[in-house]
Amino acid sequence: MKAGKLETAGKYDEALKLYAQAIELKGRFTPFVYHNRGILYLHRVKASQKRQSRIADPQRAIADFSTSIELGAASKEEPNRGLEKITTRANLDEATKLLGQESHVRR
């Protein structure tokens, strides 16, 4: 929740540090942490004017969404398995689309 508040305030770097700490704990909510960090990367790329960020952040989001899906699929808990079926898959598609658009602009 703290990371979400920081993200809302535009303090992306601080929010990313909190997500990294939560991932290190490797608890039962880790798939959700990866998902939420991927969302942060999507929001940051949409807010950024920097070309480097517009390439790197979708790549990071894709990696986090993929990890979230993998961890969720391996989980015995239904909410974690549901990540692949609903939001994470849609966000993965969005990040892939953003990366593709930016790649076309660079050419």
Side-chain angles (χ1 to χ4, degrees):
M1 287 181 18
K2 209 180 228 186
K5 289 179 182 179
L6 288 169
E7 180 183 351
T8 301
K11 298 179 180 181
Y12 296 114
D13 291 335
E14 292 176 45
L16 287 170
K17 287 178 187 176
L18 288 177
Y19 283 128
Q21 291 171 355
I23 287 170
E24 287 179 20
L25 296 175
K26 298 185 188 208
R28 63 188 275 203
F29 298 110
T30 303
F32 288 101
V33 176
Y34 275 105
H35 172 84
N36 290 341
R37 189 172 72 173
I39 296 277
L40 182 143
Y41 283 127
L42 279 181
H43 291 165
R44 191 166 82 165
V45 73
K46 291 176 183 179
S48 178
Q49 298 298 319
K50 296 179 183 176
R51 178 171 230 114
Q52 182 179 7
S53 179
R54 296 184 62 79
I55 299 271
D57 285 343
Q59 290 173 333
R60 291 178 184 125
I62 290 167
D64 279 353
F65 292 138
S66 296
T67 301
S68 177
I69 290 169
E70 289 173 22
L71 292 174
S75 177
K76 294 178 181 170
E77 296 182 29
E78 184 61 34
N80 287 346
R81 288 195 310 267
L83 284 169
E84 178 182 13
K85 298 174 188 169
I86 306 170
T87 57
T88 304
R89 181 67 63 192
N91 289 322
L92 177 60
D93 293 344
E94 182 180 358
T96 303
K97 181 180 171 185
L98 286 171
L99 182 59
Q101 289 173 348
E102 190 60 32
S103 294
H104 286 293
V105 171
R106 291 188 86 189
R107 291 181 185 172

